[in-house]
């Protein structure tokens, strides 16, 4: 790439962009904390891994339905109103999930939080890709780096709470307070959440979408399946394989998130200079090799190191997968972003549930072999259906 191209690809960090970074980070705090709470909540409720996986299914279904409806809602009411309403619902859902109640109540909380979180992910991601133009992919990667930093803190906060009188719920309540404060700040800023493009995208018939975009969405779904499966079940792997206690295992999920943080910080710079497909190929190879270390090791230190490096490998899955799908969409930024959340929601239900069900049959260690199977499948698909951006993919519209 030329110096001029690299300069155009660098994020422009104005106040609106920085606020999106903060709010995405707060959503990530809950999403990553949710995975770390599953073993603790299962102990409280006395459920099996299969029954506890209903939370992941509820998350997937609610997120998928929301992603289908959000383009219509934003086209009618405007992105700013939809985002504000989604933030209110998200806070309500988190509070319900953290009630000391049975499975039906906590699943209900996940449904509300997931539906709202889906709307927020669509709105924030589409905004960054359109608002930042050529710097969209690098900006989205950087935003997700901050989200990963926040996610890194979530298991630590939950593990610390579980080991003290505060309890694991305190770590998630922070999300509600901070998100409410950030929305008050946004209400005092100039509204930059335009919705004209999303309204136009929503009227585009699904049958008219490019075939390459559907293949890119499938690739994204496989990659997200790996990430969310690791987020939900890593604590159980550490308890089963390394002998960690419940609180220590929940906190040690941060090893994966620490790798994701590092990978996204580095990736935000690399995507300014290296093609998206080439970066994804390299990241998949790193994840495969690192997971082989984590899965085969018996030392707790080696398992944690392997999980950390696996986090580095999977760090670019979501931001580059979304950017790749938008590139393949031929300019339908908001429709493509919405469908990314749909596929991610489906993957988030299928992957964790499958591993949970397999764990009840063959044990969590062997069940985790679905991770390399998925990574190999993603690599083959990436090679078979390459996508290259046109010169004006993220140009001003």
């Amino acid at each position: 790439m030329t110096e001029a191209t690299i300069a155009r690809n660098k994020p422009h960090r104005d106040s609106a962009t920085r606020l999106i970074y903060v709010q995405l980070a707060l959503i990530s705090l809950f999403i990553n904390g949710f995975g770390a709470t599953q073993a603790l909540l299962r102990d409280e409720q006395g459920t099996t891994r299969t029954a506890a996986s209903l939370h992941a299914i509820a998350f997937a279904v609610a997120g998928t339905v929301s992603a289908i409806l959000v383009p219509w809602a934003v086209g009618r009411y405007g992105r700013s109103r939809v985002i504000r309403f989604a933030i209110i619902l998200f806070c309500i859902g988190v509070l319900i999930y953290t009630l000391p109640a049975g499975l039906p109540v906590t699943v209900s909380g996940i449904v509300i939080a997931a539906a709202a979180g889906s709307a927020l992910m669509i709105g924030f991601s589409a905004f960054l890709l359109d608002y930042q133009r050529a710097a969209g992919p690098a900006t989205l990667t950087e935003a997700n780096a901050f989200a990963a930093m926040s996610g890194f803190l979530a298991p630590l906060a939950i593990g610390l709470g579980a080991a003290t009188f505060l309890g694991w719920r305190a770590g998630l309540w922070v999300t509600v307070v901070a998100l409410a404060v950030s929305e008050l700040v946004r209400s005092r800023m100039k509204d930059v959440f335009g919705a004209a493009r999303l309204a136009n995208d929503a009227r585009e018939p699904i049958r008219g979408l490019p075939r390459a975009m559907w293949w890119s969405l499938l690739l994204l779904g496989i990659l997200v399946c790996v990430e969310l499966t690791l987020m939900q079940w890593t604590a159980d792997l550490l308890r089963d394989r390394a002998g960690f206690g419940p609180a220590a295992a929940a906190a040690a999920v941060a090893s994966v998130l620490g790798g994701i943080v590092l990978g996204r910080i580095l990736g935000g710079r690399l995507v300014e200079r290296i093609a998206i497909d080439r970066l994804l190929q390299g990241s998949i190879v790193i994840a495969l090799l690192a997971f082989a270390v984590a899965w085969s090791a018996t030392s707790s230190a080696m398992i944690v190191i392997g999980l950390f490096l696996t986090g580095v490998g999977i760090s670019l899955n979501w931001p580059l997968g979304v950017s790749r799908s938008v590139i393949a969409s031929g300019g339908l930024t908001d429709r493509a972003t919405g469908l990314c959340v749909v596929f991610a929601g489906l993957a988030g239900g299928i992957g964790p549930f499958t591993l949970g069900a397999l764990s009840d049959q063959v044990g969590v260690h062997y069940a985790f072999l679905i991770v390399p199977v998925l990574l190999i499948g993603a690599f083959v698909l990436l090679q078979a259906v390459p996508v290259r951006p046109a010169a004006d993919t993220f140009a001003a519209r």
Side-chain angles (χ1 to χ4, degrees):
M1 291 186 180
T2 65
E3 291 298 322
T5 300
I6 293 173
R8 287 197 303 270
N9 290 348
K10 289 185 177 180
H12 310 291
R13 304 176 188 91
D14 59 5
S15 57
T17 301
R18 291 196 300 269
L19 183 61
I20 295 302
Y21 284 6
V22 171
Q23 293 189 317
L24 269 175
L26 292 171
I27 301 300
S28 175
L29 188 68
F30 171 75
I31 291 174
N32 291 286
F34 163 68
T37 64
Q38 287 299 283
L40 298 168
L41 188 61
R42 191 176 70 248
D43 290 342
E44 284 187 12
Q45 296 178 337
T47 56
T48 65
R49 290 188 178 96
T50 303
S53 294
L54 290 173
H55 289 105
I57 294 176
F59 200 110
V61 172
T64 299
V65 173
S66 175
I68 293 171
L69 296 177
V70 162
W72 168 83
V74 175
R76 179 163 182 171
Y77 300 109
R79 185 176 286 155
S80 184
R81 289 182 180 177
V82 170
I83 286 176
R84 177 155 299 164
F85 182 66
I87 286 175
I88 294 171
L89 278 183
F90 184 83
C91 292
I92 292 172
V94 173
L95 291 174
I96 292 174
Y97 175 69
T98 55
L99 289 173
L103 189 66
V105 173
T106 54
V107 169
S108 298
I110 285 299
V111 168
I112 297 171
S118 176
L120 293 172
M121 289 175 66
I122 293 170
F124 292 156
S125 299
F127 167 74
L128 288 176
L129 288 170
D130 270 341
Y131 187 65
Q132 291 282 336
R133 302 179 183 176
T139 305
L140 189 59
T141 302
E142 187 172 84
N144 278 273
F146 283 99
M149 291 180 192
S150 173
F152 175 79
L153 297 176
L156 295 176
I158 289 167
L160 178 63
T164 66
F165 71 95
L166 294 172
W168 62 264
R169 291 172 175 84
L172 297 183
W173 292 337
V174 173
T175 305
V176 175
V177 176
L179 197 57
V181 171
S182 71
E183 188 58 17
L184 288 175
V185 172
R186 189 174 74 86
S187 68
R188 297 177 180 274
M189 296 171 55
K190 178 182 177 181
D191 190 356
V192 294
F193 291 101
R197 279 195 51 74
L198 199 144
N200 291 333
D201 290 351
R203 291 194 292 267
E204 183 73 18
I206 289 180
R207 64 179 178 275
L209 297 175
R211 182 178 298 176
M213 192 187 78
W214 294 108
W215 286 112
S216 292
L217 288 168
L218 177 59
L219 173 68
L220 175 69
I222 294 172
L223 293 173
V224 169
C225 192
V226 172
E227 182 173 343
L228 296 183
T229 297
L230 283 168
M231 288 299 97
Q232 179 155 344
W233 293 115
T234 288
D236 279 69
L237 179 65
L238 290 167
R239 292 172 70 171
D240 178 82
R241 189 72 172 167
F244 282 23
V253 175
S255 61
V256 179
L257 293 171
I260 291 176
V261 170
L262 178 62
R264 286 179 181 169
I265 291 173
L266 297 175
R269 300 295 174 265
L270 293 175
V271 76
E272 298 171 11
R273 296 171 169 79
I274 302 175
I276 289 175
D277 277 16
R278 185 172 297 178
L279 273 178
L280 281 174
Q281 290 167 8
S283 68
I284 291 172
V285 171
I286 291 172
L288 272 170
L289 295 175
F291 183 78
V293 173
W295 187 86
S296 60
T298 55
S299 161
S300 58
M302 287 303 298
I303 294 173
V304 170
I305 291 171
L307 289 171
F308 173 82
L309 294 175
T310 302
V312 174
I314 66 173
S315 62
L316 301 181
N317 288 358
W318 173 254
L320 294 192
V322 172
S323 298
R324 193 177 190 273
S325 297
V326 170
I327 289 169
S329 74
L332 298 175
T333 306
D334 299 285
R335 172 57 66 80
T337 306
L339 287 172
C340 284
V341 176
V342 171
F343 273 69
L346 292 172
I350 294 171
F353 178 80
T354 301
L355 194 146
L358 284 173
S359 295
D360 288 335
Q361 301 299 318
V362 300
V364 67
H365 184 229
Y366 286 105
F368 255 97
L369 287 174
I370 68 170
V371 169
V373 171
L374 290 171
L375 288 171
I376 292 170
F379 189 87
V380 171
L381 184 58
L382 186 62
Q383 294 290 102
V385 190
V387 170
R388 296 178 178 84
D392 61 347
T393 299
F394 296 105
R397 300 178 177 93

